Amino acid sequence: MSKKRILVAEDDPHIRTGLVDTLESEGYLVVATSDGNQASSLFPQDTFDLALLDIMMPGKDGYSLCQEFRAKSPQTAIIHLTAKSQEIDKVLGLKLGADDYITKPFGVQELLARIEAIFRRTGSQAKNDKTTELPSKLTIGPLTINRSTYKLEYEGQDCALTERELKLLEQFYLHPGEVLNRSVLLDRVWGIEYYGTTRTLDQHIAQIRKKMNSLGASDPIETVHGVGYRALNEKASRHF
């Protein structure tokens, strides 16, 4: 089995060195940088399974890098490293496409556990993912989801989707008209070992809706209060 490749973007030399030593001792291949601009230049030249991004560092910050990496490689997992503890800072990172965050100071074992959990989730999803049989383009209501380019398309316009957003839309496509419980969606998209709250799911749905609205399209996703979401039957369609 090939080793997982991890990008570490952290400006504190002590934390960066500690991360590199720890991750390499666990068998990961690590590329490290102290600058957001350097991280940006490294990313298209290499393929990473995970990026650990400090929020505040010289050059591009972790938020900007998260958006950039999501557009270039939706499959790469992202964990934000942040000294900020306010909820709004964590929420912003998740909205921009981060898979997780960890607040400094943090323990080595906690970080390793979070990394291992992400890799277990993605590995389990790859083995059991029925969406691999789906066509490259899906239709939900008036919208087209291009799975090859991670784009949401409507009347000649498009906008980028994160991997989580794409997977959520795939679930709505696979189950038109069905009410999908929040916990079910979390299990199918984030994995059964996800320990976060349903608020993360709600934030991702809100982001999808904003993107639909930005394209001028009607929203085919209905909120079923206290339960979850569904793609309205009369507006959802499936094509092969």
Side-chain angles (χ1 to χ4, degrees):
M1 181 181 297
S2 60
K3 292 184 177 181
K4 298 290 188 182
R5 299 182 62 81
I6 297 178
L7 172 65
V8 174
E10 165 63 60
D11 67 328
D12 185 304
H14 299 293
I15 295 177
R16 187 174 63 254
T17 300
L19 286 170
V20 172
D21 291 344
T22 298
L23 293 171
E24 288 183 340
S25 70
E26 292 294 316
Y28 296 115
L29 296 176
V30 185
V31 176
T33 178
S34 61
D35 181 275
N37 291 334
Q38 292 175 355
S40 178
S41 66
L42 283 169
F43 199 80
Q45 301 173 25
D46 210 337
T47 300
F48 295 100
D49 299 288
L50 170 70
L52 297 177
L53 305 178
D54 184 23
I55 294 294
M56 304 300 294
M57 58 182 157
K60 296 181 179 179
D61 62 24
Y63 295 135
S64 299
L65 288 174
C66 182
Q67 287 182 295
E68 182 180 330
F69 292 0
R70 272 288 163 260
K72 292 176 179 176
S73 178
Q75 298 88 351
T76 299
I78 295 174
I79 296 178
H80 274 150
L81 306 176
T82 176
K84 297 182 176 182
S85 58
Q86 292 188 358
E87 183 181 19
I88 187 63
D89 298 312
K90 301 171 184 177
V91 168
L92 177 57
L94 294 173
K95 283 185 175 181
L96 293 175
D99 296 278
D100 203 352
Y101 59 82
I102 186 166
T103 304
K104 301 174 187 177
F106 53 83
V108 169
Q109 294 306 314
E110 179 186 2
L111 177 64
L112 290 175
R114 288 177 184 262
I115 292 173
E116 290 167 6
I118 283 179
F119 287 149
R120 281 198 303 271
R121 289 200 301 268
T122 54
S124 175
Q125 288 165 0
K127 291 178 182 177
N128 303 296
D129 193 358
K130 295 181 180 178
T131 62
T132 56
E133 301 173 4
L134 291 175
S136 61
K137 288 191 176 184
L138 316 176
T139 300
I140 298 179
L143 296 139
T144 297
I145 296 93
N146 191 320
R147 300 174 66 237
S148 299
T149 61
Y150 283 75
K151 296 283 188 181
L152 184 65
E153 302 172 349
Y154 177 71
E155 294 187 347
Q157 303 179 80
D158 63 59
C159 61
L161 292 168
T162 68
E163 185 175 19
R164 299 286 188 212
E165 291 166 353
L166 175 65
K167 288 186 176 297
L168 281 169
L169 289 170
E170 288 174 342
Q171 290 303 313
F172 290 123
Y173 174 86
L174 285 167
H175 304 279
E178 295 182 32
V179 177
L180 297 176
N181 186 281
R182 283 180 171 83
S183 61
V184 170
L185 285 171
L186 285 170
D187 285 350
R188 292 177 180 172
V189 176
W190 276 262
I192 59 174
E193 294 176 350
Y194 176 71
Y195 300 112
T197 68
T198 58
R199 182 164 184 175
T200 298
L201 168 62
D202 296 336
Q203 290 162 353
H204 278 74
I205 295 292
Q207 287 299 107
I208 291 173
R209 285 173 164 160
K210 285 182 181 179
K211 292 179 179 182
M212 290 177 176
N213 291 335
S214 73
L215 297 176
S218 59
D219 177 8
I221 300 173
E222 178 184 55
T223 300
V224 181
H225 295 288
V227 182
Y229 301 93
R230 68 177 167 191
L232 298 180
N233 235 350
E234 65 271 20
K235 294 183 180 180
S237 58
R238 299 175 62 173
H239 307 291
F240 285 89

